[in-house]
Amino acid sequence: MIEKETDDVDADVIVVGGGVAGALCACQIARSGRQVILIERGGQPGSKNLSGGVFYCRVMERIFPDFLEAAPIERHITRNVLCFLNPSSHFCIDSWDRRLADPVNAVTVLRARLDAWLLEKCEEAGVMVMPGVRVDALLTAGDRVTGVRAGTDELRARMVVAADGVNSFIARSAGIRAREPAKNLAVGVKSVIGLPAAVIEDRFRVSGNEGVAYAMVGDCTQGVAGGGFLYTNRESISVGVVMRLDDLDAKGVSSSRIHDHFLAHPAVAPLIKGGELREYGAHLTIENGPAMASHDIARPGLLIVGDAAGFTLNTGLAVRGMDLAAGSALAAARAIDRAFERTDFGQRMADDYRAELDASFVGADMKTYARAPEFLENPRMYEDYGPLLADIFLDILRLDTTPKSRAAAIAAAAFRRSPVTLFQAATDMLKGGRAL
Amino acid sequence: MKTVIVYKWARNPEDAAVRADGTVDWRNARMTAGEDDFAALEAARAIAPEGELIGLTIGDGDASWALARGVLQAVAVTDAAPLADNAATAAIIAAAIRRIGGVDAVVIGDSEEYSGVPVALAGLLGWPAVAHATSAEAAGGRIRVVRKQGRNDQTISLATPAVISIAAASPEKKVPGMKELLAARKRPITRQTLADIDAAGPDGVTTKGTRLPDGAAARLFDGDPANAARQLVAALRDEGVL
């Protein structure tokens, strides 16, 4: 029966979505000698993709040993800054460490360039890349996925990989997921601001191809659960905000205005001063990856990878998506390889995929950070800790010719003025330590 | 009738950004199908049967555009850079057509932005040209070309070889589906370089500078609607409009 079904396939595997997950999965499957068609909705590679974080890229060396030299990388991130931002003050932890450059730990990328490069690599590996096509539905035979439909056109394959992003219409139409609750999703609004490389290096105290990434909470989102980000590319700065969808809705504020407010903030405006707006965009993203990824991520003839499966993590300090996309693509490619050897694309392939994930950093980290979203739901993170920390340091540093108190007394006084109690702060620290 | 359809031979000006200082940033824009390329292909298909039709593209664009639309083979001059000089662009296309050899008709989109290219191409080949045509077809060893003359249609019977440039009357109706895209990937593309076709391709135009046009500044009346309306009316009075 399998022979009969495979007689009229157009390819061995159809991958839907040409982002990091889809491209890498297609590339790996093609390298094993299978025929792969990669269908991408955007007319140009990367035209529908928008990322708001750095790429923790060690995983890429497994796929492209020359990734750091050959791929269109902007800067190597060696400086990381975490800021509690208030209307007229901020409290930041600034870490610079050259060890992050050897081996290179994280890089900044512009997706239009990176995705075009990834699809070139796919074509080199023999993948048939098909841009400008929107897949409307899956084809099924019984409970098994057998191909895709776009308009009136149908393509058949022995199996399909869904890499169609956070909104994954495929996962939804396959009945794997219901519409995702708003609290698990966030909206990101981002600008890319062009500046000469020399200005970026002076302004951010980085040299050569090193770069900096900021993660900020507090006034950047005007109290909406979420945060601001800023990172340096070679000749531009990516800067924007990410806000939890349910909180944004509840507070009734406009995401684009919050973005504008953040860019005009006195702590942010000098960093992008004199720059020229190159790109502006908004994109849905995942707030609670562990909750999304706890759904099924496979059906007979179908595997789901990357954002479509929910593989995104926000640990407060690091927002991760592309590395998990790459990791899940590798796991899927391995499971698919074995499925072809056995000619069995049913439950065993699904189990294999889950086992591959669990054995990799993807599955492990999704478990490790399972409680991070719950911890980050705490409104004290966005509203109270920034002013509290700023008050403590202000009172330590401000000398007004009156006698000074000791730091412990200043902190105690600041806690008395703050809505946060010492007990709550201690609990949050403990919880944070456990969740992150 | 051996016919060449020239497509994806220029960048889309909409892919460029004009910066505040007046410089133009093309942002790695690639050669794209022009808005007349589809109509040109329709005409080319009406002139030549499948087997006698050859696609020709220059530069770094995806050459499979024509192959997904029924053309069986294509030639791509891959290292041709986008040039400001229409005549230099035409010289590259002319060299590629000479290299193909024995061509009876060349059909090309009647680009508004690069309007010099089709006529310069005809001049370089030494062939007659009919520009601004709306359709063309083969008729008894000649080509019948229709173009608008005011409100009338003018029909011209053209001996070969000839260059015909076509202006699209409407956008493309049906874009290729997955099957056509798949078939396109299996059709042959002959990749050539400028050196292969003996085209030096120097840009005859040197850009010494660009500047923003003198435009009237826009004013935004924001805030309370009643107040904004008052300000708008006052501004219109100041300008002498009211």
PDB file of all heavy atoms in Angstrom, chain A residues 10 37 39 113 120 123 128-131 133 148 150 153-155 276 278, chain B residues 18-20 25 27-28 30 32 62 177-182 185-186:
ATOM      1  N   ASP A  10       5.292  14.147  -5.668  1.00  0.00           N
ATOM      2  CA  ASP A  10       6.094  15.143  -6.370  1.00  0.00           C
ATOM      3  C   ASP A  10       7.471  15.285  -5.727  1.00  0.00           C
ATOM      4  O   ASP A  10       8.385  15.831  -6.332  1.00  0.00           O
ATOM      5  CB  ASP A  10       5.368  16.495  -6.343  1.00  0.00           C
ATOM      6  CG  ASP A  10       4.042  16.424  -7.081  1.00  0.00           C
ATOM      7  OD1 ASP A  10       4.084  16.331  -8.309  1.00  0.00           O
ATOM      8  OD2 ASP A  10       2.971  16.430  -6.423  1.00  0.00           O
ATOM      9  N   ILE A  37      11.007  19.787  -1.434  1.00  0.00           N
ATOM     10  CA  ILE A  37      10.459  21.045  -1.937  1.00  0.00           C
ATOM     11  C   ILE A  37      10.236  21.942  -0.727  1.00  0.00           C
ATOM     12  O   ILE A  37       9.620  21.530   0.253  1.00  0.00           O
ATOM     13  CB  ILE A  37       9.115  20.829  -2.677  1.00  0.00           C
ATOM     14  CG1 ILE A  37       9.300  19.926  -3.897  1.00  0.00           C
ATOM     15  CG2 ILE A  37       8.514  22.167  -3.091  1.00  0.00           C
ATOM     16  CD1 ILE A  37       7.999  19.572  -4.591  1.00  0.00           C
ATOM     17  N   ILE A  39       8.491  25.356   0.405  1.00  0.00           N
ATOM     18  CA  ILE A  39       7.520  26.353  -0.038  1.00  0.00           C
ATOM     19  C   ILE A  39       7.549  27.531   0.935  1.00  0.00           C
ATOM     20  O   ILE A  39       7.444  27.353   2.145  1.00  0.00           O
ATOM     21  CB  ILE A  39       6.097  25.744  -0.083  1.00  0.00           C
ATOM     22  CG1 ILE A  39       6.101  24.511  -0.986  1.00  0.00           C
ATOM     23  CG2 ILE A  39       5.101  26.774  -0.586  1.00  0.00           C
ATOM     24  CD1 ILE A  39       4.768  23.804  -1.052  1.00  0.00           C
ATOM     25  N   ARG A 113      18.900  39.166   4.977  1.00  0.00           N
ATOM     26  CA  ARG A 113      20.180  38.652   4.469  1.00  0.00           C
ATOM     27  C   ARG A 113      20.407  37.207   4.883  1.00  0.00           C
ATOM     28  O   ARG A 113      20.808  36.381   4.079  1.00  0.00           O
ATOM     29  CB  ARG A 113      21.326  39.510   5.006  1.00  0.00           C
ATOM     30  CG  ARG A 113      21.382  40.855   4.326  1.00  0.00           C
ATOM     31  CD  ARG A 113      22.619  41.603   4.768  1.00  0.00           C
ATOM     32  NE  ARG A 113      22.476  43.003   4.394  1.00  0.00           N
ATOM     33  CZ  ARG A 113      23.095  43.990   5.009  1.00  0.00           C
ATOM     34  NH1 ARG A 113      23.900  43.755   6.011  1.00  0.00           N
ATOM     35  NH2 ARG A 113      22.907  45.230   4.607  1.00  0.00           N
ATOM     36  N   GLU A 120      19.886  29.923  -0.218  1.00  0.00           N
ATOM     37  CA  GLU A 120      20.946  29.600  -1.189  1.00  0.00           C
ATOM     38  C   GLU A 120      21.598  28.265  -0.827  1.00  0.00           C
ATOM     39  O   GLU A 120      21.866  27.428  -1.684  1.00  0.00           O
ATOM     40  CB  GLU A 120      22.031  30.675  -1.157  1.00  0.00           C
ATOM     41  CG  GLU A 120      21.922  31.716  -2.253  1.00  0.00           C
ATOM     42  CD  GLU A 120      22.905  32.855  -2.019  1.00  0.00           C
ATOM     43  OE1 GLU A 120      24.063  32.578  -1.625  1.00  0.00           O
ATOM     44  OE2 GLU A 120      22.494  34.013  -2.198  1.00  0.00           O
ATOM     45  N   GLU A 123      19.409  25.460  -1.851  1.00  0.00           N
ATOM     46  CA  GLU A 123      19.473  25.159  -3.286  1.00  0.00           C
ATOM     47  C   GLU A 123      20.756  24.416  -3.613  1.00  0.00           C
ATOM     48  O   GLU A 123      20.750  23.484  -4.414  1.00  0.00           O
ATOM     49  CB  GLU A 123      19.333  26.440  -4.104  1.00  0.00           C
ATOM     50  CG  GLU A 123      17.898  26.974  -4.024  1.00  0.00           C
ATOM     51  CD  GLU A 123      17.568  28.046  -5.052  1.00  0.00           C
ATOM     52  OE1 GLU A 123      18.426  28.922  -5.271  1.00  0.00           O
ATOM     53  OE2 GLU A 123      16.454  28.005  -5.607  1.00  0.00           O
ATOM     54  N   MET A 128      14.436  22.142  -3.805  1.00  0.00           N
ATOM     55  CA  MET A 128      13.702  22.946  -4.760  1.00  0.00           C
ATOM     56  C   MET A 128      12.958  24.036  -3.984  1.00  0.00           C
ATOM     57  O   MET A 128      11.984  23.751  -3.295  1.00  0.00           O
ATOM     58  CB  MET A 128      12.728  22.043  -5.506  1.00  0.00           C
ATOM     59  CG  MET A 128      12.346  22.556  -6.845  1.00  0.00           C
ATOM     60  SD  MET A 128      11.493  21.269  -7.762  1.00  0.00           S
ATOM     61  CE  MET A 128      12.850  20.297  -8.367  1.00  0.00           C
ATOM     62  N   VAL A 129      13.460  25.263  -4.067  1.00  0.00           N
ATOM     63  CA  VAL A 129      12.878  26.350  -3.275  1.00  0.00           C
ATOM     64  C   VAL A 129      11.791  27.033  -4.096  1.00  0.00           C
ATOM     65  O   VAL A 129      12.002  27.401  -5.250  1.00  0.00           O
ATOM     66  CB  VAL A 129      13.958  27.375  -2.859  1.00  0.00           C
ATOM     67  CG1 VAL A 129      13.330  28.515  -2.072  1.00  0.00           C
ATOM     68  CG2 VAL A 129      15.043  26.695  -2.032  1.00  0.00           C
ATOM     69  N   MET A 130      10.632  27.174  -3.501  1.00  0.00           N
ATOM     70  CA  MET A 130       9.474  27.705  -4.212  1.00  0.00           C
ATOM     71  C   MET A 130       8.920  28.921  -3.455  1.00  0.00           C
ATOM     72  O   MET A 130       8.103  28.769  -2.558  1.00  0.00           O
ATOM     73  CB  MET A 130       8.428  26.576  -4.254  1.00  0.00           C
ATOM     74  CG  MET A 130       7.441  26.672  -5.365  1.00  0.00           C
ATOM     75  SD  MET A 130       6.265  25.308  -5.220  1.00  0.00           S
ATOM     76  CE  MET A 130       7.061  24.082  -6.214  1.00  0.00           C
ATOM     77  N   PRO A 131       9.392  30.126  -3.787  1.00  0.00           N
ATOM     78  CA  PRO A 131       8.915  31.301  -3.053  1.00  0.00           C
ATOM     79  C   PRO A 131       7.598  31.823  -3.616  1.00  0.00           C
ATOM     80  O   PRO A 131       7.195  31.458  -4.730  1.00  0.00           O
ATOM     81  CB  PRO A 131      10.039  32.315  -3.269  1.00  0.00           C
ATOM     82  CG  PRO A 131      10.685  31.921  -4.548  1.00  0.00           C
ATOM     83  CD  PRO A 131      10.405  30.466  -4.789  1.00  0.00           C
ATOM     84  N   VAL A 133       4.514  31.337  -2.642  1.00  0.00           N
ATOM     85  CA  VAL A 133       3.355  30.433  -2.654  1.00  0.00           C
ATOM     86  C   VAL A 133       2.812  30.289  -1.235  1.00  0.00           C
ATOM     87  O   VAL A 133       3.558  30.022  -0.296  1.00  0.00           O
ATOM     88  CB  VAL A 133       3.739  29.032  -3.197  1.00  0.00           C
ATOM     89  CG1 VAL A 133       2.551  28.080  -3.081  1.00  0.00           C
ATOM     90  CG2 VAL A 133       4.206  29.123  -4.636  1.00  0.00           C
ATOM     91  N   VAL A 148       0.246  19.054   0.251  1.00  0.00           N
ATOM     92  CA  VAL A 148      -0.286  20.390   0.534  1.00  0.00           C
ATOM     93  C   VAL A 148      -1.096  20.888  -0.662  1.00  0.00           C
ATOM     94  O   VAL A 148      -0.894  20.464  -1.797  1.00  0.00           O
ATOM     95  CB  VAL A 148       0.846  21.397   0.831  1.00  0.00           C
ATOM     96  CG1 VAL A 148       1.631  20.995   2.066  1.00  0.00           C
ATOM     97  CG2 VAL A 148       1.788  21.550  -0.360  1.00  0.00           C
ATOM     98  N   ALA A 150      -2.339  24.567  -2.523  1.00  0.00           N
ATOM     99  CA  ALA A 150      -2.264  26.027  -2.623  1.00  0.00           C
ATOM    100  C   ALA A 150      -3.190  26.428  -3.746  1.00  0.00           C
ATOM    101  O   ALA A 150      -2.960  26.060  -4.892  1.00  0.00           O
ATOM    102  CB  ALA A 150      -0.838  26.479  -2.910  1.00  0.00           C
ATOM    103  N   ASP A 153      -4.026  24.042  -6.718  1.00  0.00           N
ATOM    104  CA  ASP A 153      -2.848  23.230  -6.995  1.00  0.00           C
ATOM    105  C   ASP A 153      -2.531  22.305  -5.830  1.00  0.00           C
ATOM    106  O   ASP A 153      -2.572  22.731  -4.684  1.00  0.00           O
ATOM    107  CB  ASP A 153      -1.669  24.192  -7.166  1.00  0.00           C
ATOM    108  CG  ASP A 153      -0.991  24.013  -8.499  1.00  0.00           C
ATOM    109  OD1 ASP A 153      -1.549  23.298  -9.348  1.00  0.00           O
ATOM    110  OD2 ASP A 153       0.081  24.588  -8.669  1.00  0.00           O
ATOM    111  N   GLU A 154      -2.185  21.075  -6.147  1.00  0.00           N
ATOM    112  CA  GLU A 154      -1.846  20.132  -5.078  1.00  0.00           C
ATOM    113  C   GLU A 154      -0.467  19.534  -5.322  1.00  0.00           C
ATOM    114  O   GLU A 154      -0.116  19.235  -6.454  1.00  0.00           O
ATOM    115  CB  GLU A 154      -2.893  19.014  -5.018  1.00  0.00           C
ATOM    116  CG  GLU A 154      -4.268  19.525  -4.618  1.00  0.00           C
ATOM    117  CD  GLU A 154      -5.294  18.408  -4.552  1.00  0.00           C
ATOM    118  OE1 GLU A 154      -4.996  17.302  -5.040  1.00  0.00           O
ATOM    119  OE2 GLU A 154      -6.381  18.645  -4.013  1.00  0.00           O
ATOM    120  N   LEU A 155       0.302  19.399  -4.276  1.00  0.00           N
ATOM    121  CA  LEU A 155       1.575  18.700  -4.358  1.00  0.00           C
ATOM    122  C   LEU A 155       1.575  17.596  -3.319  1.00  0.00           C
ATOM    123  O   LEU A 155       1.149  17.807  -2.181  1.00  0.00           O
ATOM    124  CB  LEU A 155       2.753  19.646  -4.080  1.00  0.00           C
ATOM    125  CG  LEU A 155       3.179  20.646  -5.153  1.00  0.00           C
ATOM    126  CD1 LEU A 155       4.463  21.337  -4.725  1.00  0.00           C
ATOM    127  CD2 LEU A 155       3.372  19.985  -6.508  1.00  0.00           C
ATOM    128  N   GLU A 276      19.174  56.757  10.639  1.00  0.00           N
ATOM    129  CA  GLU A 276      18.137  56.839   9.613  1.00  0.00           C
ATOM    130  C   GLU A 276      17.306  55.562   9.657  1.00  0.00           C
ATOM    131  O   GLU A 276      17.855  54.458   9.687  1.00  0.00           O
ATOM    132  CB  GLU A 276      18.823  56.976   8.259  1.00  0.00           C
ATOM    133  CG  GLU A 276      17.891  56.942   7.090  1.00  0.00           C
ATOM    134  CD  GLU A 276      18.474  56.195   5.887  1.00  0.00           C
ATOM    135  OE1 GLU A 276      19.348  55.315   6.081  1.00  0.00           O
ATOM    136  OE2 GLU A 276      18.027  56.475   4.780  1.00  0.00           O
ATOM    137  N   ARG A 278      15.606  52.469   8.637  1.00  0.00           N
ATOM    138  CA  ARG A 278      15.760  51.602   7.465  1.00  0.00           C
ATOM    139  C   ARG A 278      14.574  50.659   7.318  1.00  0.00           C
ATOM    140  O   ARG A 278      14.150  50.350   6.223  1.00  0.00           O
ATOM    141  CB  ARG A 278      17.022  50.747   7.622  1.00  0.00           C
ATOM    142  CG  ARG A 278      18.302  51.516   7.593  1.00  0.00           C
ATOM    143  CD  ARG A 278      18.941  51.458   6.206  1.00  0.00           C
ATOM    144  NE  ARG A 278      20.123  52.281   6.168  1.00  0.00           N
ATOM    145  CZ  ARG A 278      21.342  51.826   6.462  1.00  0.00           C
ATOM    146  NH1 ARG A 278      21.502  50.580   6.788  1.00  0.00           N
ATOM    147  NH2 ARG A 278      22.373  52.631   6.397  1.00  0.00           N
TER     148      ARG A 278
ATOM    149  N   VAL B  18      15.176  56.544  -0.973  1.00  0.00           N
ATOM    150  CA  VAL B  18      15.876  57.821  -1.090  1.00  0.00           C
ATOM    151  C   VAL B  18      16.095  58.337   0.322  1.00  0.00           C
ATOM    152  O   VAL B  18      15.149  58.516   1.083  1.00  0.00           O
ATOM    153  CB  VAL B  18      15.060  58.829  -1.923  1.00  0.00           C
ATOM    154  CG1 VAL B  18      15.821  60.143  -2.048  1.00  0.00           C
ATOM    155  CG2 VAL B  18      14.763  58.246  -3.300  1.00  0.00           C
ATOM    156  N   ARG B  19      17.361  58.524   0.670  1.00  0.00           N
ATOM    157  CA  ARG B  19      17.678  58.946   2.028  1.00  0.00           C
ATOM    158  C   ARG B  19      17.481  60.442   2.194  1.00  0.00           C
ATOM    159  O   ARG B  19      17.326  61.178   1.225  1.00  0.00           O
ATOM    160  CB  ARG B  19      19.128  58.596   2.333  1.00  0.00           C
ATOM    161  CG  ARG B  19      19.350  57.117   2.459  1.00  0.00           C
ATOM    162  CD  ARG B  19      20.791  56.862   2.770  1.00  0.00           C
ATOM    163  NE  ARG B  19      20.962  55.519   3.286  1.00  0.00           N
ATOM    164  CZ  ARG B  19      22.117  54.872   3.266  1.00  0.00           C
ATOM    165  NH1 ARG B  19      23.191  55.445   2.791  1.00  0.00           N
ATOM    166  NH2 ARG B  19      22.194  53.663   3.759  1.00  0.00           N
ATOM    167  N   ALA B  20      17.514  60.851   3.457  1.00  0.00           N
ATOM    168  CA  ALA B  20      17.268  62.263   3.785  1.00  0.00           C
ATOM    169  C   ALA B  20      18.279  63.179   3.095  1.00  0.00           C
ATOM    170  O   ALA B  20      17.973  64.325   2.768  1.00  0.00           O
ATOM    171  CB  ALA B  20      17.316  62.448   5.296  1.00  0.00           C
ATOM    172  N   ASP B  25      19.569  54.521  -1.992  1.00  0.00           N
ATOM    173  CA  ASP B  25      20.065  53.264  -1.433  1.00  0.00           C
ATOM    174  C   ASP B  25      19.255  52.118  -2.038  1.00  0.00           C
ATOM    175  O   ASP B  25      18.059  51.990  -1.786  1.00  0.00           O
ATOM    176  CB  ASP B  25      19.880  53.310   0.096  1.00  0.00           C
ATOM    177  CG  ASP B  25      20.328  52.014   0.754  1.00  0.00           C
ATOM    178  OD1 ASP B  25      20.826  51.130   0.035  1.00  0.00           O
ATOM    179  OD2 ASP B  25      20.169  51.896   1.981  1.00  0.00           O
ATOM    180  N   ARG B  27      19.733  48.944  -1.460  1.00  0.00           N
ATOM    181  CA  ARG B  27      19.515  47.882  -0.466  1.00  0.00           C
ATOM    182  C   ARG B  27      19.566  46.471  -1.052  1.00  0.00           C
ATOM    183  O   ARG B  27      18.644  45.661  -0.840  1.00  0.00           O
ATOM    184  CB  ARG B  27      18.167  48.069   0.222  1.00  0.00           C
ATOM    185  CG  ARG B  27      18.079  49.413   0.857  1.00  0.00           C
ATOM    186  CD  ARG B  27      16.741  49.681   1.428  1.00  0.00           C
ATOM    187  NE  ARG B  27      16.791  50.961   2.124  1.00  0.00           N
ATOM    188  CZ  ARG B  27      15.907  51.383   2.971  1.00  0.00           C
ATOM    189  NH1 ARG B  27      14.882  50.625   3.255  1.00  0.00           N
ATOM    190  NH2 ARG B  27      16.028  52.541   3.556  1.00  0.00           N
ATOM    191  N   ASN B  28      20.571  46.171  -1.801  1.00  0.00           N
ATOM    192  CA  ASN B  28      20.740  44.839  -2.385  1.00  0.00           C
ATOM    193  C   ASN B  28      19.556  44.406  -3.248  1.00  0.00           C
ATOM    194  O   ASN B  28      19.256  43.228  -3.353  1.00  0.00           O
ATOM    195  CB  ASN B  28      20.951  43.773  -1.302  1.00  0.00           C
ATOM    196  CG  ASN B  28      22.029  44.172  -0.329  1.00  0.00           C
ATOM    197  OD1 ASN B  28      23.071  44.664  -0.737  1.00  0.00           O
ATOM    198  ND2 ASN B  28      21.779  43.981   0.959  1.00  0.00           N
ATOM    199  N   ARG B  30      17.446  43.196  -6.267  1.00  0.00           N
ATOM    200  CA  ARG B  30      17.806  42.357  -7.403  1.00  0.00           C
ATOM    201  C   ARG B  30      17.009  42.751  -8.635  1.00  0.00           C
ATOM    202  O   ARG B  30      16.027  43.457  -8.542  1.00  0.00           O
ATOM    203  CB  ARG B  30      17.519  40.892  -7.067  1.00  0.00           C
ATOM    204  CG  ARG B  30      18.424  40.383  -5.990  1.00  0.00           C
ATOM    205  CD  ARG B  30      18.139  38.929  -5.719  1.00  0.00           C
ATOM    206  NE  ARG B  30      19.182  38.382  -4.865  1.00  0.00           N
ATOM    207  CZ  ARG B  30      19.633  37.136  -4.947  1.00  0.00           C
ATOM    208  NH1 ARG B  30      19.113  36.303  -5.800  1.00  0.00           N
ATOM    209  NH2 ARG B  30      20.573  36.723  -4.144  1.00  0.00           N
ATOM    210  N   THR B  32      14.218  42.425 -11.107  1.00  0.00           N
ATOM    211  CA  THR B  32      12.884  41.850 -10.906  1.00  0.00           C
ATOM    212  C   THR B  32      12.105  41.903 -12.216  1.00  0.00           C
ATOM    213  O   THR B  32      12.461  42.652 -13.129  1.00  0.00           O
ATOM    214  CB  THR B  32      12.089  42.637  -9.852  1.00  0.00           C
ATOM    215  OG1 THR B  32      12.119  44.016 -10.227  1.00  0.00           O
ATOM    216  CG2 THR B  32      12.675  42.477  -8.462  1.00  0.00           C
ATOM    217  N   ASP B  62      16.013  35.633 -10.308  1.00  0.00           N
ATOM    218  CA  ASP B  62      15.690  34.217 -10.482  1.00  0.00           C
ATOM    219  C   ASP B  62      15.212  34.002 -11.918  1.00  0.00           C
ATOM    220  O   ASP B  62      14.178  34.506 -12.327  1.00  0.00           O
ATOM    221  CB  ASP B  62      14.596  33.840  -9.470  1.00  0.00           C
ATOM    222  CG  ASP B  62      14.125  32.409  -9.663  1.00  0.00           C
ATOM    223  OD1 ASP B  62      14.755  31.678 -10.452  1.00  0.00           O
ATOM    224  OD2 ASP B  62      13.138  32.035  -9.021  1.00  0.00           O
ATOM    225  N   GLY B 177       1.165  28.324 -10.568  1.00  0.00           N
ATOM    226  CA  GLY B 177       0.937  27.522  -9.376  1.00  0.00           C
ATOM    227  C   GLY B 177       2.146  26.656  -9.074  1.00  0.00           C
ATOM    228  O   GLY B 177       3.178  26.741  -9.754  1.00  0.00           O
ATOM    229  N   MET B 178       2.003  25.816  -8.054  1.00  0.00           N
ATOM    230  CA  MET B 178       3.132  25.005  -7.606  1.00  0.00           C
ATOM    231  C   MET B 178       3.628  24.055  -8.690  1.00  0.00           C
ATOM    232  O   MET B 178       4.822  23.849  -8.835  1.00  0.00           O
ATOM    233  CB  MET B 178       2.731  24.217  -6.364  1.00  0.00           C
ATOM    234  CG  MET B 178       2.437  25.114  -5.163  1.00  0.00           C
ATOM    235  SD  MET B 178       2.241  24.162  -3.647  1.00  0.00           S
ATOM    236  CE  MET B 178       0.741  23.270  -3.968  1.00  0.00           C
ATOM    237  N   LYS B 179       2.691  23.485  -9.450  1.00  0.00           N
ATOM    238  CA  LYS B 179       3.092  22.532 -10.502  1.00  0.00           C
ATOM    239  C   LYS B 179       3.962  23.222 -11.545  1.00  0.00           C
ATOM    240  O   LYS B 179       4.959  22.669 -12.002  1.00  0.00           O
ATOM    241  CB  LYS B 179       1.855  21.957 -11.186  1.00  0.00           C
ATOM    242  CG  LYS B 179       0.984  21.109 -10.287  1.00  0.00           C
ATOM    243  CD  LYS B 179       1.475  19.680 -10.187  1.00  0.00           C
ATOM    244  CE  LYS B 179       0.434  18.821  -9.493  1.00  0.00           C
ATOM    245  NZ  LYS B 179       1.024  17.617  -8.917  1.00  0.00           N
ATOM    246  N   GLU B 180       3.553  24.446 -11.927  1.00  0.00           N
ATOM    247  CA  GLU B 180       4.325  25.187 -12.928  1.00  0.00           C
ATOM    248  C   GLU B 180       5.697  25.563 -12.379  1.00  0.00           C
ATOM    249  O   GLU B 180       6.694  25.493 -13.082  1.00  0.00           O
ATOM    250  CB  GLU B 180       3.578  26.456 -13.363  1.00  0.00           C
ATOM    251  CG  GLU B 180       2.424  26.196 -14.325  1.00  0.00           C
ATOM    252  CD  GLU B 180       1.079  26.368 -13.670  1.00  0.00           C
ATOM    253  OE1 GLU B 180       1.039  26.453 -12.429  1.00  0.00           O
ATOM    254  OE2 GLU B 180       0.064  26.411 -14.401  1.00  0.00           O
ATOM    255  N   LEU B 181       5.731  25.961 -11.097  1.00  0.00           N
ATOM    256  CA  LEU B 181       7.012  26.320 -10.481  1.00  0.00           C
ATOM    257  C   LEU B 181       7.930  25.096 -10.426  1.00  0.00           C
ATOM    258  O   LEU B 181       9.134  25.189 -10.646  1.00  0.00           O
ATOM    259  CB  LEU B 181       6.785  26.880  -9.076  1.00  0.00           C
ATOM    260  CG  LEU B 181       6.082  28.243  -9.008  1.00  0.00           C
ATOM    261  CD1 LEU B 181       5.739  28.592  -7.564  1.00  0.00           C
ATOM    262  CD2 LEU B 181       6.948  29.337  -9.615  1.00  0.00           C
ATOM    263  N   LEU B 182       7.323  23.973 -10.148  1.00  0.00           N
ATOM    264  CA  LEU B 182       8.083  22.722 -10.075  1.00  0.00           C
ATOM    265  C   LEU B 182       8.649  22.360 -11.460  1.00  0.00           C
ATOM    266  O   LEU B 182       9.823  22.020 -11.601  1.00  0.00           O
ATOM    267  CB  LEU B 182       7.143  21.619  -9.587  1.00  0.00           C
ATOM    268  CG  LEU B 182       7.742  20.449  -8.845  1.00  0.00           C
ATOM    269  CD1 LEU B 182       8.546  20.932  -7.660  1.00  0.00           C
ATOM    270  CD2 LEU B 182       6.623  19.518  -8.383  1.00  0.00           C
ATOM    271  N   ARG B 185      11.636  24.450 -12.525  1.00  0.00           N
ATOM    272  CA  ARG B 185      12.934  24.086 -11.938  1.00  0.00           C
ATOM    273  C   ARG B 185      13.640  22.987 -12.719  1.00  0.00           C
ATOM    274  O   ARG B 185      14.828  22.764 -12.549  1.00  0.00           O
ATOM    275  CB  ARG B 185      12.736  23.618 -10.493  1.00  0.00           C
ATOM    276  CG  ARG B 185      12.221  24.685  -9.565  1.00  0.00           C
ATOM    277  CD  ARG B 185      13.304  25.686  -9.276  1.00  0.00           C
ATOM    278  NE  ARG B 185      12.821  26.727  -8.374  1.00  0.00           N
ATOM    279  CZ  ARG B 185      13.401  27.894  -8.214  1.00  0.00           C
ATOM    280  NH1 ARG B 185      14.490  28.182  -8.890  1.00  0.00           N
ATOM    281  NH2 ARG B 185      12.916  28.791  -7.387  1.00  0.00           N
ATOM    282  N   LYS B 186      12.874  22.279 -13.526  1.00  0.00           N
ATOM    283  CA  LYS B 186      13.484  21.179 -14.276  1.00  0.00           C
ATOM    284  C   LYS B 186      13.885  21.605 -15.686  1.00  0.00           C
ATOM    285  O   LYS B 186      14.473  20.830 -16.426  1.00  0.00           O
ATOM    286  CB  LYS B 186      12.513  19.996 -14.328  1.00  0.00           C
ATOM    287  CG  LYS B 186      12.319  19.377 -12.943  1.00  0.00           C
ATOM    288  CD  LYS B 186      11.221  18.352 -12.900  1.00  0.00           C
ATOM    289  CE  LYS B 186      11.045  17.830 -11.482  1.00  0.00           C
ATOM    290  NZ  LYS B 186       9.738  17.231 -11.236  1.00  0.00           N
TER     291      LYS B 186
END
